[in-house]
């Protein structure tokens, strides 16, 4: 079935109420969006985000290296390929392309730059016996840890400001948990079994 | 965890019955919230991600994962690349795996060869499903009927720990759990809630929900996830960001901030329809009942539309109690795969329409 515009295939069916009468409309994605009726589309396709980002004036120029020529030393994925698919090739790609992918991730996650939340429990347990160096592989350097805690504190302040007390309590628990995860420190036993408030 | 026989070729299989976890219609707020789901994306350390790996590497991931899953013992293993198309369709319709996993190629056909890949399902409840070698090595899904995200998260978290005790996951201090697509890094956790919103749809207020969801940067999708249409007035709301917030915070944003608002909107809409537009609403609902009782040929989409109206009728007390049970079964039974499973052989599109109409007539005989 064609859309009312007569140009594209109708893919969105919406019932609208006009003067108390419900009218069924068959629309293409574009017309539906124009009328504010489109089912909010899925997450912007990552490759589009990549494209937008890479082609944004000022961004490419700001990077001295020609990003296209970079390849991951572990899985040999090229940055060009990543731009086409939006998918990375291995865990180490995050290191190989950190400079390029970092800002992209920040944008896709509303400005977030660092992980907070679950840390693999068995790995953490094993690291306890491996000394500060092993623990650092999981928890990051002191500087990274401090930055993460700073981010949580900011979220906590926001939650308190907005009187979201339940959220504030969760954030406080997480801060407390992170504070205890200092490299070089013996972890309290609770970390081997549970974390947070579950 | 309950142990089950070790997975093998002749292992137990789902019964493909008329109901599954997300259609049990139980739990909190089940008049509006059909189901809650938590999905964790995990990859094995020192193994290439699926899109960049060859057959041998994928086989290694399958072997390691299958071994770990078998040791935990709560799920039955299914080799998806050896499963016939109809069975794959049944898994998709039951929301045990993605359409992408059934197709075997990553979105847009990238990713090269499509095997091996697997699926592990907990039986008979179908509450847990683990896709192996989809976009990520592991996609752990825990499903609960009604609004029960915390319960689903607790189950996913435990299973994640059990797997991680046997497999090393790719993780970095900065980006958290590493995933093939950078939009999933951090917690790797996607929380989603399936909502039935016929009241808002009838009043033309569905945009309110979309706006509210967008304000909270949540995604609104259709019945079968990404890229699917909101058939039968079902909408899936889920978090878009996975980095920079703990699992608990992501969960709270959805379960305590947005969903109660949407539920209020929907219940208010249903009250309005019942109190102020009673005859119009009754007409819509009874037309759907009438049609469903006598129809001879019907498409999936049209069937879902009428079933949505009948579910609304049952929810606001315009129809008798048995209607709700019948309708919830039908959401699954009218799907193409389930119709063919019921018939015991492949059906053409026309035959499916005939069969679908027959199923509607049979199950809705006593509705009114």
């Amino acid at each position: 079935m064609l859309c009312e515009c007569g140009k594209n295939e109708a893919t969105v069916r919406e019932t609208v109420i006009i003067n108390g009468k419900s009218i069924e409309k068959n629309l293409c994605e574009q017309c539906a969006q124009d009328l504010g009726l489109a089912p909010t589309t899925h997450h912007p396709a990552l490759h589009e985000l990549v494209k937008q980002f890479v082609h944004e004036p000022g961004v490419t120029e700001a990077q001295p290296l020609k990003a296209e020529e970079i390849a991951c030393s572990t899985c040999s994925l090229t940055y060009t390929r990543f731009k086409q698919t939006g998918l990375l090739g291995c865990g180490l790609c995050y290191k190989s392309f950190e400079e390029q992918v970092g800002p992209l991730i920040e944008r896709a996650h509303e400005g977030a730059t660092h992980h907070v939340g679950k840390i693999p429990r068995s790995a953490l347990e094993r690291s306890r016996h491996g000394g500060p160096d092993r623990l650092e592989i999981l928890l990051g350097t002191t500087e990274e840890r401090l930055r993460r805690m700073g981010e949580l504190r900011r979220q906590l302040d926001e939650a308190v400001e907005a009187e979201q007390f339940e959220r504030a309590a969760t954030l406080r628990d997480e801060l407390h948990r992170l504070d205890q995860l200092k490299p070089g420190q013996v972890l309290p036993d609770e970390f081997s079994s549970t974390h947070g408030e579950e | 965890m309950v142990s089950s026989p070790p997975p093998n070729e002749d292992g137990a299989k789902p019964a493909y019955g008329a109901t599954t976890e997300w259609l049990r219609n139980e739990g909190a707020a089940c008049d509006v919230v059909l189901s809650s789901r938590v999905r964790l994306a995990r990859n094995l350390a020192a193994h290439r991600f699926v899109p960049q790996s060859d057959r041998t590497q994928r086989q290694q991931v399958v072997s390691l994962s299958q071994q770990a899953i078998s040791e935990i013992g709560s799920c039955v293993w299914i080799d998806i690349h050896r499963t016939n198309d109809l069975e794959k369709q049944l898994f998709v319709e039951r929301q045990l795996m993605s359409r992408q996993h059934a197709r075997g190629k990553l979105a847009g056909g990238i990713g090269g060869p499509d095997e091996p890949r697997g699926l592990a399902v907990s039986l008979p409840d179908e509450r847990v499903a683990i896709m192996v070698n989809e976009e990520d090595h592991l996609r752990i899904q825990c499903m609960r009927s009604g609004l029960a995200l915390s319960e689903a998260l607790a189950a996913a978290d435990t299973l994640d720990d059990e797997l991680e005790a046997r497999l090393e996951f790719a993780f970095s201090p900065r980006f958290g759990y590493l995933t093939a697509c950078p939009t999933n890094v951090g917690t790797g956790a996607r929380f989603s809630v399936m909502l039935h919103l016929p009241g808002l749809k009838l009043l033309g207020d569905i945009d309110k929900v979309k706006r509210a969801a967008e304000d909270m940067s949540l995604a609104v999708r259709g019945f079968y996830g990404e890229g699917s249409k909101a058939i039968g007035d079902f909408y899936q709301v889920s978090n878009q960001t996975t980095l920079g917030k703990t699992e608990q915070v992501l969960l709270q944003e959805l379960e305590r901030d947005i969903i109660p608002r949407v539920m209020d909107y929907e219940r208010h809409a249903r009250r309005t329809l019942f109190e102020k537009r009673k005859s119009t609403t009754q007409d819509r609902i009874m037309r759907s009942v009438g049609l469903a009782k006598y129809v001879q040929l019907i498409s999936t989409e049209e069937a879902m539309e009428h079933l949505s109206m009948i579910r609304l009728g049952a929810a606001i007390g315009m129809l008798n109690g048995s209607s709700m049970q019948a309708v919830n079964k039908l959401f699954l039974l009218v799907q193409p795969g389930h119709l063919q499973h019921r018939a015991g052989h492949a059906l053409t599109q026309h035959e499916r329409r005939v069969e679908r109409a027959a199923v509607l007539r049979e199950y809705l005989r006593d509705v009114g």
Side-chain angles (χ1 to χ4, degrees):
Chain A
M1 182 188 288
L2 273 184
C3 168
E4 291 173 357
C5 67
K7 286 182 226 153
N8 307 314
E9 185 70 16
T11 54
V12 179
R13 188 188 292 183
E14 282 276 345
T15 309
V16 288
I17 310 247
I18 298 172
N19 298 333
K21 263 175 84 180
S22 85
I23 294 169
E24 201 129 89
K25 280 180 169 291
N26 291 290
L27 304 163
C28 66
E29 200 101 337
Q30 189 54 51
C31 289
Q33 259 169 25
D34 292 346
L35 291 170
L37 293 173
T40 337
T41 43
H42 7 256
H43 209 16
L46 189 85
H47 60 90
E48 273 168 34
L49 212 64
V50 176
K51 239 186 256 161
Q52 264 176 33
F53 179 72
V54 175
H55 298 303
E56 208 164 83
V59 174
T60 17
E61 286 100 89
Q63 287 165 6
L65 275 171
K66 261 197 154 176
E68 282 79 358
E69 284 159 14
I70 304 172
C72 172
S73 57
T74 309
C75 73
S76 67
L77 179 89
T78 60
Y79 190 66
T80 312
R81 181 76 184 142
F82 167 68
K83 281 200 314 192
Q84 288 162 354
T85 65
L87 299 170
L88 291 167
C90 69
L92 287 160
C93 281
Y94 280 92
K95 268 260 169 283
S96 306
F97 304 126
E98 191 164 5
E99 243 178 85
Q100 292 78 25
V101 177
L104 190 68
I105 289 177
E106 200 176 323
R107 186 182 280 207
H109 296 275
E110 301 181 309
T113 55
H114 282 73
H115 170 62
V116 287
K118 189 169 182 176
I119 295 164
R121 251 159 248 172
S122 296
L124 196 60
E125 180 67 20
R126 285 193 294 272
S127 302
R128 290 174 64 171
H129 310 293
D133 289 351
R134 286 288 305 157
L135 215 50
E136 202 169 290
I137 295 174
L138 275 181
L139 304 177
T141 58
T142 310
E143 190 199 342
E144 277 181 304
R145 244 173 37 78
L146 289 175
R147 191 159 355 145
R148 197 177 311 153
M149 289 176 67
E151 171 58 25
L152 276 173
R153 265 193 211 99
R154 192 187 59 74
Q155 289 182 19
L156 174 59
D157 290 345
E158 273 179 17
V160 172
E161 184 88 4
E163 300 187 2
Q164 296 171 325
F165 298 118
E166 205 164 1
R167 182 187 174 119
T170 309
L171 288 164
R172 201 170 294 126
D173 288 347
E174 181 66 14
L175 256 173
H176 178 66
R177 191 178 78 90
L178 269 184
D179 193 41
Q180 291 193 293
L181 287 174
K182 282 180 191 127
Q185 182 174 315
V186 178
L187 297 171
D189 277 338
E190 58 177 295
F191 289 105
S192 58
S193 51
T194 55
H195 83 90
E197 55 173 25
E198 290 139 25
Chain B
M1 287 227 157
V2 187
S3 69
S4 66
N8 57 51
E9 294 285 315
D10 312 312
K13 290 209 166 160
Y16 309 121
T19 193
T20 182
E21 178 65 20
W22 53 275
L23 285 173
R24 279 196 300 124
N25 206 59
E26 288 172 14
C30 67
D31 57 327
V32 179
V33 182
L34 209 64
S35 63
S36 305
R37 183 174 67 171
V38 175
R39 196 211 64 201
L40 303 176
R42 299 288 187 256
N43 285 281
L44 308 194
H47 287 263
R48 287 184 179 194
F49 294 157
V50 182
Q52 187 72 357
S53 60
D54 61 29
R55 206 190 142 86
T56 316
Q57 290 159 336
R58 285 174 210 228
Q59 182 57 56
Q60 282 171 355
V61 170
V62 163
S63 304
L64 289 167
S65 310
Q66 190 179 354
Q67 175 66 32
I69 290 166
S70 139
E71 280 174 23
I72 297 167
S74 53
C75 291
V76 166
W77 177 268
I78 298 143
D79 281 329
I80 289 301
H81 55 281
R82 290 193 194 142
T83 302
N84 67 41
D85 287 349
L86 175 59
E87 231 171 323
K88 280 190 271 194
Q89 196 173 356
L90 290 167
F91 291 135
V92 173
E93 289 173 4
R94 300 178 84 75
Q95 305 199 346
L96 297 171
M97 70 179 193
S98 63
R99 290 183 291 191
Q100 179 175 309
H101 203 48
R103 267 200 314 270
K105 291 242 191 307
L106 297 176
I110 53 164
D114 58 354
E115 52 184 85
R117 63 193 196 282
L119 176 73
V121 182
S122 69
L123 293 179
D125 61 31
E126 300 182 11
R127 283 176 158 193
V128 177
I130 308 168
M131 288 190 282
V132 178
N133 277 349
E134 203 234 28
E135 186 179 285
D136 292 300
H137 293 149
L138 298 170
R139 287 274 173 103
I140 305 161
Q141 164 181 300
C142 288
M143 187 85 94
R144 286 291 181 276
S145 185
L147 186 58
L149 278 175
S150 301
E151 216 186 296
L153 175 62
D157 192 45
T158 305
L159 181 54
D160 179 45
D161 286 345
E162 288 177 317
L163 287 164
E164 198 253 328
R166 295 166 173 86
L167 304 163
E168 195 185 338
F169 289 155
F171 182 87
S172 97
R174 176 169 175 195
F175 295 124
Y177 290 94
L178 302 177
T179 51
C181 182
T183 48
N184 296 321
V185 282
T187 57
R190 193 78 67 194
F191 298 90
S192 38
V193 173
M194 178 85 80
L195 301 161
H196 186 222
L197 307 175
L200 287 168
K201 184 69 184 296
L202 279 182
L203 287 182
D205 279 346
I206 208 80
D207 277 351
K208 265 193 196 170
V209 176
K210 288 178 184 162
R211 270 198 299 274
E214 274 166 20
D215 286 349
M216 307 273 312
S217 56
L218 299 168
V220 182
R221 302 188 170 107
F223 197 49
Y224 284 110
E226 197 157 354
S228 68
K229 281 195 268 182
I231 54 169
D233 307 323
F234 286 108
Y235 296 84
Q236 231 182 89
V237 180
S238 53
N239 59 305
Q240 300 223 51
T241 62
T242 50
L243 183 75
K245 289 174 185 165
T246 66
E247 289 82 354
Q248 287 295 335
V249 167
L250 289 169
L251 185 149
Q252 279 175 14
E253 284 183 350
L254 197 60
E255 187 164 86
R256 295 180 200 166
D257 299 345
I258 179 85
I259 300 303
R261 268 165 75 195
V262 178
M263 277 164 30
D264 282 349
Y265 286 154
E266 172 63 20
R267 285 175 179 156
H268 179 76
R270 290 181 188 182
R271 269 196 307 276
T272 306
L273 288 168
F274 190 69
E275 286 160 12
K276 299 190 179 141
R277 300 190 190 182
K278 194 167 180 180
S279 54
T280 318
T281 308
Q282 206 159 17
D283 181 62
R284 282 291 292 255
I285 291 168
M286 295 318 283
R287 273 171 191 269
S288 289
V289 172
L291 184 135
K293 280 185 171 188
Y294 294 100
V295 69
Q296 297 294 315
L297 278 177
I298 192 165
S299 70
T300 314
E301 205 172 326
E302 198 192 347
M304 293 293 282
E305 260 176 52
H306 294 297
L307 287 173
S308 170
M309 282 301 110
I310 298 171
R311 190 178 193 272
L312 172 68
I316 61 179
M318 273 187 187
L319 298 175
N320 60 33
S322 64
S323 320
M324 191 62 114
Q325 278 177 318
V327 164
N328 285 323
K329 285 180 181 157
L330 284 166
F331 284 128
L332 209 47
L333 292 178
V334 300
Q335 303 298 328
H338 280 76
L339 282 176
Q340 296 179 75
H341 175 69
R342 190 169 182 266
H345 55 88
L347 300 170
T348 63
Q349 190 185 53
H350 182 78
E351 288 167 342
R352 287 201 300 273
R353 291 183 173 189
V354 173
E355 195 66 25
R356 189 176 292 117
V359 173
L360 284 182
R361 295 197 306 269
E362 181 189 326
Y363 276 77
L364 297 175
R365 209 172 30 216
D366 302 326
V367 165

